[in-house]
Amino acid sequence: MLRFSQYPNQPQPKNAEDYYDLAQACAAAEDYKQAVGAYSSSLELRPNHRDTINNRGIALAHLGRFEEALMDFNRSLELSPNDPELLNNRGIALFHLDRFEEAVGDHSRCMELSTADTETLNNRGNALARLG
């Protein structure tokens, strides 16, 4: 397990929840590299926690590591297949991987499952524009 001494207000993590809390603090500080490490440590102890998987994917996306982010979003969708937030996140990763048709599909499905917010509409529109 990793130690995170550069965050003195955070106690040394002892369990999955502590690592998750530390990861959230790192992400809030835009320290995405450390966030990925803390999320990964949390997942070693609690491997199927959907929010941890999804949030690690978000941190990976912030680092431009879209293939890895996509793997996390796929895994989180296996656990919660009809979650609009997860579909939107995967659609964003697909967009950055130039997989526009798949991105449109995820954003469209997201819109079917929930009231479409402006972010989802914008993401879908951007992917559609790239399709031509």
Side-chain angles (χ1 to χ4, degrees):
M1 296 293 163
L2 299 172
R3 291 193 62 81
F4 295 91
S5 58
Q6 71 189 63
Y7 292 92
N9 295 334
Q10 291 286 335
Q12 180 59 35
K14 297 179 181 121
N15 56 46
E17 293 81 16
D18 289 349
Y19 278 105
Y20 181 84
D21 290 344
L22 177 60
Q24 293 290 87
C26 293
E30 298 182 5
D31 187 351
Y32 299 113
K33 183 177 179 182
Q34 289 293 322
V36 168
Y39 286 129
S40 296
S41 292
S42 180
L43 287 168
E44 287 178 26
L45 300 169
R46 187 172 55 177
N48 292 317
H49 191 258
R50 186 204 69 155
D51 289 339
T52 307
I53 298 164
N54 179 57
N55 288 337
R56 183 176 68 178
I58 293 169
L60 287 164
H62 277 289
L63 294 170
R65 295 164 56 183
F66 295 105
E67 286 286 347
E68 293 169 88
L70 180 60
M71 290 189 305
D72 276 351
F73 297 140
N74 285 336
R75 188 168 159 213
S76 61
L77 279 162
E78 288 173 9
L79 299 169
S80 189
N82 293 315
D83 186 308
E85 177 189 359
L86 303 179
L87 286 163
N88 188 52
N89 290 344
R90 185 172 70 179
I92 293 168
L94 290 165
F95 177 88
H96 286 283
L97 294 168
D98 296 333
R99 293 167 59 178
F100 305 118
E101 193 168 321
E102 292 170 88
V104 168
D106 276 356
H107 293 308
S108 296
R109 178 76 177 131
C110 178
M111 292 167 59
E112 291 171 10
L113 293 170
S114 71
T115 304
D117 59 21
T118 55
E119 179 186 359
T120 302
L121 290 169
N122 185 56
N123 292 339
R124 185 175 178 268
N126 287 338
L128 282 168
R130 288 290 189 89
L131 282 174

